[in-house]
Amino acid sequence: MLDPRDALDQTLKLFDLKASEVANISGIDEQMISKYRHKRKDMNSINLFKVINAMPLEARCYFHALLSVSDNECIKAKT
């Protein structure tokens, strides 16, 4: 399971998405996205939700998969 910042950074890189494109669609400042990705500033959940929803469906699914707990973690939680 990745930190949301790392998951966002990895997703944008893998899907060759530019922060400027995501910023234009989401309405969140490009510098805010950059600072969040590089762990220089926090982003509230509403703004992160907007950024995620500005990405194509495949990228959103990938982002959420990166944040999912592994099956082993679920098994451990039951015991």
Side-chain angles (χ1 to χ4, degrees), residues 4 15 21-22 26 28 39 56 68-69 79:
F15 287 88
E21 296 168 349
V22 174
S26 68
I28 305 301
K39 301 179 181 180
S68 297
V69 296
T79 59

Side-chain angles (χ1 to χ4, degrees), residues 1 7 13-14 16 20 22 28 31 33-36 46 57 67 73 76:
M1 180 168 69
K13 287 176 182 176
L14 180 70
D16 196 29
S20 59
V22 174
I28 305 301
Q31 286 190 0
I33 296 170
S34 177
K35 288 178 181 178
Y36 180 75
I46 293 171
L57 178 60
L67 296 180
E73 289 174 343
K76 288 178 188 176

Side-chain angles (χ1 to χ4, degrees), residues 20-73:
S20 59
E21 296 168 349
V22 174
N24 286 335
I25 295 168
S26 68
I28 305 301
D29 184 68
E30 181 180 353
Q31 286 190 0
M32 169 66 92
I33 296 170
S34 177
K35 288 178 181 178
Y36 180 75
R37 287 173 67 190
H38 297 101
K39 301 179 181 180
R40 294 189 313 247
K41 189 166 179 131
D42 286 332
M43 184 182 299
N44 68 41
S45 58
I46 293 171
N47 287 344
L48 181 57
F49 184 76
K50 289 177 183 179
V51 169
I52 295 163
N53 282 327
M55 297 187 293
L57 178 60
E58 296 84 12
R60 288 194 313 254
C61 291
Y62 181 79
F63 172 84
H64 288 295
L66 291 175
L67 296 180
S68 297
V69 296
S70 70
D71 290 340
N72 289 338
E73 289 174 343

